[in-house]
Amino acid sequence: MTSSTPDLQATTPDTQAQDAAASAPAPAAAAAAPAPAGLTARALLKQFQEQFPPFRDCLPLSIGIDKQILARLPDLDRKLMRTALGIHTGSLRYLRVMEKAKLRYDLDGKAGAEVTATHREHATQVLQQRFKKEADRKKAEREAAAAEEANRLRLEKLNLLTAKFSRKG
């Protein structure tokens, strides 16, 4: 009885691989396929960019786009999807588009509701905060490099003085 169990385990992955290969060419099956266990948020975002025009063209997404995605991909992990959406909507490219956008788009790329002034202002504020944070980080790096250089010069002078006085004494 124990010898039949390994045989089943050995044939199961092959059978699954054949089933997956048989269903892969069908576009409808690929779109409705559940997310693999090793799928990351960035990989899922790349999949969204391949499947949906608003992601590929970085258009403002309609409110409730997560529900539209789940309707098309019901087996999708919600947490992973929300992380992927967060990466997309937090990107500089998306925020820059949102600053000037007038309309939002659904998954098919059809125009929908208008982008409110509040949402445009929010995108502007987020961009300003990011640019300020980046400028502060670069300033801190420059100051640290200048302090390190000043310390190196100070040590070099001390070493020269030490060498000068150690010869005479």
Side-chain angles (χ1 to χ4, degrees):
M1 185 165 168
T2 57
S3 63
S4 65
T5 306
D7 292 339
L8 286 175
Q9 290 174 347
T11 57
T12 303
D14 295 335
T15 309
Q16 290 172 347
Q18 290 171 354
D19 292 343
S23 65
L39 188 66
T40 65
R42 291 200 185 276
L44 181 61
L45 180 56
K46 189 170 181 82
Q47 180 184 340
F48 287 167
Q49 289 169 345
E50 292 169 1
Q51 287 181 327
F52 307 119
F55 283 93
R56 179 180 40 246
D57 302 333
C58 204
L59 299 173
L61 301 175
S62 64
I63 305 243
I65 196 86
D66 57 333
K67 292 175 186 76
Q68 293 176 26
I69 292 170
L70 287 173
R72 293 203 187 171
L73 306 170
D75 295 332
L76 192 62
D77 179 31
R78 288 174 189 257
K79 185 176 180 181
L80 186 65
M81 178 202 55
R82 290 191 187 275
T83 304
L85 284 173
I87 292 170
H88 179 71
T89 58
S91 70
L92 288 177
R93 183 175 174 205
Y94 184 83
L95 291 170
R96 284 185 176 139
V97 168
M98 280 297 291
E99 273 188 307
K100 298 171 181 88
K102 301 291 183 205
L103 297 173
R104 293 181 174 275
Y105 296 87
D106 66 4
L107 287 180
D108 297 322
K110 296 178 185 168
E114 288 186 23
V115 177
T116 63
T118 305
H119 292 152
R120 281 192 293 271
E121 289 170 15
H122 179 263
T124 301
Q125 289 172 355
V126 170
L127 284 171
Q128 287 174 348
Q129 289 171 355
R130 285 216 189 139
F131 293 143
K132 183 180 182 331
K133 186 177 180 181
E134 181 66 14
D136 291 345
R137 185 189 64 78
K138 286 182 178 179
K139 181 180 177 184
E141 282 180 3
R142 283 192 305 269
E143 289 172 354
E148 189 175 314
E149 179 65 15
N151 191 32
R152 187 188 66 77
L153 289 174
R154 185 174 122 325
L155 286 173
E156 189 177 304
K157 286 181 181 179
L158 284 173
N159 286 338
L160 288 173
L161 283 172
T162 305
K164 180 179 176 182
F165 288 113
S166 66
R167 286 187 211 140
K168 290 185 179 180

